[in-house]
């Protein structure tokens, strides 16, 4: 008899577990999609305009949970925002029967801010923003908890994404803290636009000017490294005077940053005292077969041969981390500049000496040469060493 009772108790407990699991499965409603891809709950109980204004309007609503609604109308049990990079839930404040504030984080800037939108509460408990799209279909508002279908966005394939959401009514203090945490008005965002369109800017002198065409309020212009230049600006016009041969300039407003590298070919600004690297070659010969020949007579493979930087023996140590060559500015005798990103301090000869350059040298005839200044640039955008390089046609 004792064994029978034990098995009967176990059977009852197992039945409770099964029933509990059934209850979990049924806690999510099943939704439908219209022909235009809009998700809705077909059996929603009507909430009057008056009731909506009494229970929703005038309050802030903080996120509790979101469960994505699949194409078959069923909900995924996992929290939608769990592990989702670059996105998070929004918070809402229905400040009147016609004005809605949405608080959100915009990862692209990044910034916490709000948008103010006109909205209407229309049939089937729908909240429609700016006469364009439904953001909510409210299913219920009970004891400070609001459940709804929420429009979450559009995937890359054009499919609209909806979620079954729960929000909790904020206290006055929570609403005040929310407004403080999302201070930027996203309705009036501007791009940070400057008249400089290139990442690398080359000038022959020591001065450069540009304009800040659009910004989000006040802006700041500064150099990445102090002592490389002096900067003055009046209204939207900026003047930069170089004190070194290069400077990294950053323009910032409260949301965005624009950066460019300013480089001068003025010989008075060239660096001195940092001659710590050698290149593989300082001089090459272009022979009558248009092949490049090293000083020791070795004919180089034009397609694969590389020039590489090598630190002089006396400089091995911690100093190399500061002067590790990351870029190369190639300056010709007319002060025309080409810029290259170096891969571990190396550059292919066919990049440094393209076929058109070699053809022109050969056409110039016996004994003619092309000469460059090879200016090594570190990761901070500072020119730290100038090396000579020459190719002679023989």
């Amino acid at each position: 008899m004792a064994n029978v009772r034990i098995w009967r108790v176990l059977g009852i407990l197992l039945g409770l577990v099964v029933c509990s699991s059934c209850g979990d499965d049924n806690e999510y409603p099943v939704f439908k999609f219209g022909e235009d891809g809009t998700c809705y709950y077909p059996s929603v109980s009507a909430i009057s305009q008056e009731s909506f204004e009494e229970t929703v309007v005038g309050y802030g609503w903080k996120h509790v949970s979101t469960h994505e609604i699949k194409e078959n109308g069923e909900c995924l049990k996992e929290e939608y925002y769990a592990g989702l990079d670059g996105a998070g839930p929004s918070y809402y404040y229905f400040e009147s029967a016609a004005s809605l504030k949405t608080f959100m984080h915009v990862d692209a800037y990044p910034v916490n801010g709000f948008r103010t939108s006109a909205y209407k509460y229309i049939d089937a408990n729908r909240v429609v923003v700016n006469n364009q799209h439904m953001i909510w279909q409210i299913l219920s508002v009970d004891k400070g908890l609001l459940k709804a279908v929420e429009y979450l966005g559009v995937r890359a394939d054009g499919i609209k994404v909806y979620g079954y959401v729960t929000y909790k009514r904020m206290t006055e203090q929570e609403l005040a803290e929310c407004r403080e945490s999302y201070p930027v008005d996203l309705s009036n965002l501007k791009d940070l636009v400057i008249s400089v369109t290139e990442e690398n800017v080359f000038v022959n002198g020591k001065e450069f000017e540009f304009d800040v065409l659009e910004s989000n309020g006040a802006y700041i212009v500064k150099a990445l490294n102090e002592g490389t230049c002096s900067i003055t600006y009046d209204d939207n016009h900026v003047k930069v005077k170089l004190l070194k041969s290069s400077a990294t300039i950053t323009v910032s407003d409260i949301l965005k940053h624009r950066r460019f590298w300013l480089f001068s070919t003025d010989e008075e600004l060239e660096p001195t005292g940092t001659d710590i690297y050698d290149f593989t070659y300082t001089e090459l010969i272009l022979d009558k077969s248009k092949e490049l020949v090293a000083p020791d007579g070795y004919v180089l493979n034009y397609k694969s041969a590389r020039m590489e930087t090598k630190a002089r023996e006396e400089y091995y140590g911690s100093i190399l981390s500061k002067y590790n060559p990351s870029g190369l500015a190639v300056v010709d005798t007319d002060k025309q500049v080409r810029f290259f990103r170096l891969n571990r301090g190396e550059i292919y000869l066919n990049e440094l000496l393209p076929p058109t350059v070699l053809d022109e040298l050969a056409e110039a005839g016996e004994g003619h040469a092309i000469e460059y200044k090879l200016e090594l640039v570190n990761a901070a955008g500072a020119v730290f060493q100038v090396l000579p390089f020459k190719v002679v046609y023989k």
Side-chain angles (χ1 to χ4, degrees):
M1 290 294 292
N3 287 338
V4 172
R5 290 194 188 97
I6 291 172
W7 283 108
R8 186 174 295 171
V9 170
L10 289 174
I12 292 170
L13 290 175
L14 180 60
L16 289 173
V17 170
V18 172
C19 290
S20 175
S21 298
C22 292
D24 289 342
D25 288 339
N26 294 330
E27 73 173 291
Y28 303 112
V30 177
F31 300 90
K32 290 188 175 182
F33 287 85
E35 293 183 0
D36 62 351
T38 300
C39 182
Y40 66 96
Y41 185 57
S43 304
V44 66
S45 299
I47 299 173
S48 68
Q49 178 78 34
E50 181 180 6
S51 179
F52 170 77
E53 293 184 11
E54 287 179 358
T55 58
V56 178
V57 175
Y59 299 104
W61 298 89
K62 62 182 179 181
H63 179 263
V64 176
S65 65
T66 297
H67 299 277
E68 184 178 348
I69 301 169
K70 298 185 293 184
E71 292 182 6
N72 63 2
E74 296 179 358
C75 296
L76 295 174
K77 293 184 179 180
E78 298 80 9
E79 166 60 39
Y80 176 71
Y81 291 105
L84 189 63
D85 293 332
S90 298
Y91 300 81
Y92 296 93
Y93 171 46
F94 289 81
E95 56 185 353
S96 74
S99 180
L100 171 66
K101 276 188 166 54
T102 305
F103 301 94
M104 68 190 76
H105 174 79
V106 181
D107 191 60
Y109 291 104
V111 66
N112 287 342
F114 66 92
R115 281 198 176 96
T116 304
S117 308
Y119 80 94
K120 289 182 180 180
Y121 180 70
I122 62 175
D123 59 292
N125 307 349
R126 292 179 297 164
V127 177
V128 177
V129 172
N130 296 330
N131 292 321
Q132 292 180 340
H133 62 264
M134 180 195 82
I135 62 164
W136 278 2
Q137 181 194 31
I138 300 174
L139 306 187
S140 65
V141 186
D142 183 38
K143 297 179 181 178
L145 286 180
L146 184 150
K147 294 182 182 293
V149 178
E150 181 173 345
Y151 172 72
L152 301 176
V154 183
R155 291 196 183 95
D157 58 6
I159 301 297
K160 296 178 181 178
V161 183
Y162 288 88
Y164 173 50
V165 297
T166 300
Y167 284 86
K168 185 176 182 181
R169 183 186 293 169
M170 297 184 195
T171 65
E172 290 186 6
Q173 181 178 347
E174 286 174 331
L175 178 57
E177 290 172 353
C178 181
R179 301 183 80 160
E180 186 176 336
S181 299
Y182 294 82
V184 178
D185 187 353
L186 302 174
S187 304
N188 297 313
L189 279 186
K190 298 178 180 178
D191 222 350
L192 178 58
V193 181
I194 61 178
S195 58
V196 180
T197 57
E198 302 293 330
E199 182 181 356
N200 303 311
V201 179
F202 305 99
V203 295
N204 292 329
K206 300 174 183 176
E207 296 183 350
F208 179 71
E209 300 182 15
F210 68 96
D211 293 315
V212 178
L213 304 175
E214 193 172 275
S215 65
N216 293 286
Y219 65 87
I220 298 173
V221 183
K222 61 181 181 181
L224 181 63
N225 297 307
E226 293 184 6
T228 57
C229 64
S230 62
I231 299 172
T232 58
Y233 43 98
D234 180 22
D235 194 15
N236 69 328
H237 191 68
V238 183
K239 294 182 178 181
V240 181
K241 183 176 182 180
L242 284 165
L243 306 175
K244 299 287 181 68
S245 59
S246 61
T248 302
I249 308 298
T250 301
V251 185
S252 307
D253 61 17
I254 60 172
L255 297 179
K256 289 193 171 185
H257 307 279
R258 290 290 308 275
R259 177 177 289 183
F260 63 93
W261 179 51
L262 183 60
F263 170 85
S264 174
T265 57
D266 193 308
E267 294 181 356
E268 292 182 6
L269 298 177
E270 289 180 1
T272 57
T274 53
D275 295 334
I276 62 176
Y277 283 96
D278 288 317
F279 254 122
T280 308
Y281 307 108
T282 58
E283 183 174 330
L284 292 174
I285 294 171
L286 180 67
D287 65 16
K288 298 298 190 297
S289 300
K290 289 189 178 180
E291 291 185 309
L292 291 170
V293 183
D296 61 0
Y298 180 75
V299 177
L300 302 173
N301 186 319
Y302 180 71
K303 291 183 178 179
S304 62
R306 290 172 291 183
M307 291 259 285
E308 63 180 1
T309 53
K310 183 178 180 181
R312 297 172 185 171
E313 292 183 4
E314 63 267 31
Y315 287 105
Y316 275 112
S318 60
I319 191 173
L320 295 184
S321 62
K322 180 178 179 181
Y323 296 111
N324 186 32
S326 298
L328 180 69
V330 179
V331 185
D332 65 21
T333 52
D334 294 327
K335 294 189 175 182
Q336 298 300 305
V337 184
R338 291 177 290 144
F339 183 75
F340 300 93
R341 294 290 178 189
L342 295 180
N343 180 18
R344 293 174 297 182
E346 298 178 343
I347 184 172
Y348 282 94
L349 280 177
N350 59 15
E351 292 179 333
L352 179 62
L353 300 168
T356 54
V357 169
L358 298 181
D359 289 342
E360 289 175 4
L361 178 58
E363 289 174 7
E366 180 83 21
H368 282 81
I370 52 174
E371 297 185 49
Y372 295 134
K373 288 182 179 180
L374 305 182
E375 308 205 353
L376 295 175
V377 183
N378 66 15
V383 175
F384 64 88
Q385 183 175 346
V386 180
L387 292 163
F389 181 73
K390 182 166 66 172
V391 182
V392 181
Y393 182 65
K394 291 184 180 179

